[in-house]
Amino acid sequence: MTIKTYTVNGVATIEIARPEKKNAITQAMYQAMADALRAADTDPAVRAVLITGQPGIFTSGNDLEDFMAAPPRGADAPVFQFMHALVNCTKPVVAAVTGAAIGIGTTLLLHCDLVFVADDARLAMPFVGLGLVPEFASSLVVPQLMGNVRAAEKLLLGDPFTGEQAVECGIANRVLPGSEVVNHARRVAERFNNLAPGAVRDSKRLIREPQQEAVKAAIAREAEIFGARLRSPEAMEAFQAFFQKRAPDFSKFS
């Protein structure tokens, strides 16, 4: 199984567990995560959700081979089900990140409530380098967090950044040694067992609600352009280059 789910001491854990493929996410994995989030949100025994990966790798992003074989079509595609399940989750979501968090591995963190990253974490949103555009409302949220000029480094140039930089720009709460991240995140998630669950839900709604519709509109607009770009010659060149293990040549495009 490439997504492991289990609930211990009030914390529903969603673990990306495909290390042989650098935790690259398939459509089936998105569906499993969406289902797990919705189940956790309606389970009265769950007080918080923890999303994590494997030691040294959170996720390398989309599995491009799977993605190209079955590109997402329509709002009910598994990837969009996952996005909306995370955005709509009424319970606190905690993320524990070690190693690489690429593409959606970074953008999903924008919709978690508490994020802890390892000192070896490397985050990146290299969408433009693949001939694509930002997703998961990152075109909206990233400029709000860090300003347009730093957002351009991350979203236009695709520059990778460290866990410390993620904390500095408001994506993460704290940097810890890699061996401590998951346990620390779990301890924080377990703190919600001792807090009034209704007050937690209402407070999260008050924090998120003012931007909720804008986030959903951004997800929809990005998905429209992303889908069109998937069929573009630039994206085809980028994907071919990826599979051929070479740098893409965009010199023929204008």
Side-chain angles (χ1 to χ4, degrees):
M1 187 66 177
T2 50
I3 296 294
K4 295 180 181 179
T5 60
Y6 47 92
T7 298
V8 177
N9 195 23
V11 177
T13 298
I14 300 173
E15 179 182 343
I16 308 170
R18 199 187 180 206
E20 72 282 2
K21 292 290 186 178
K22 298 182 179 179
N23 276 5
I25 305 174
T26 64
Q27 294 300 304
M29 293 165 69
Y30 280 123
Q31 187 67 62
M33 291 193 292
D35 292 344
L37 279 166
R38 289 190 288 250
D41 208 28
T42 58
D43 185 347
V46 171
R47 293 296 186 93
V49 177
L50 173 63
I51 300 177
T52 187
Q54 300 295 291
I57 177 72
F58 186 61
T59 174
S60 57
N62 284 317
D63 182 308
L64 289 183
E65 197 166 351
D66 175 84
F67 202 67
M68 292 307 296
R73 302 189 190 280
D76 62 345
V79 63
F80 298 127
Q81 288 192 46
F82 166 68
M83 288 182 182
H84 287 288
L86 183 54
V87 167
N88 292 328
C89 187
T90 64
K91 295 178 181 178
V93 180
V94 182
V97 179
T98 64
I102 309 301
I104 200 165
T106 291
T107 59
L108 76 83
L109 303 177
L110 305 174
H111 308 284
C112 296
D113 301 294
L114 295 158
V115 177
F116 301 99
V117 294
D119 50 15
D120 68 348
R122 292 294 179 271
L123 297 83
M125 296 175 282
F127 305 113
V128 170
L130 291 170
L132 301 172
V133 295
E135 37 85 308
F136 215 164
S138 56
S139 63
L140 171 72
V141 180
V142 172
Q144 290 178 339
L145 284 175
M146 59 184 76
N148 286 345
V149 292
R150 286 200 290 178
E153 292 178 340
K154 309 298 187 292
L155 293 173
L156 298 183
L157 296 176
D159 283 358
F161 53 106
T162 65
E164 288 184 357
Q165 290 170 320
V167 171
E168 178 191 348
C169 60
I171 292 176
N173 295 85
R174 185 176 169 187
V175 178
L176 299 111
S179 61
E180 298 177 13
V181 173
V182 174
N183 287 337
H184 178 82
R186 185 173 299 282
R187 286 193 298 271
V188 171
E190 289 174 348
R191 289 177 60 184
F192 289 101
N193 289 316
N194 300 316
L195 295 171
V200 169
R201 286 192 302 272
D202 286 346
S203 297
K204 173 170 177 171
R205 186 176 71 252
L206 288 168
I207 292 169
R208 296 277 178 174
E209 197 171 53
Q211 199 176 15
Q212 195 87 325
E213 292 308 311
V215 165
K216 292 178 180 179
I219 289 173
R221 180 59 175 151
E222 290 167 349
E224 178 185 354
I225 300 172
F226 195 100
R229 290 222 54 85
L230 272 176
R231 301 183 291 275
S232 71
E234 291 176 350
M236 291 301 101
E237 164 60 18
F239 293 147
Q240 288 174 10
F242 176 83
F243 291 121
Q244 294 168 4
K245 294 181 170 43
R246 61 174 175 82
D249 179 7
F250 296 127
S251 62
K252 57 190 173 185
F253 302 109
S254 59

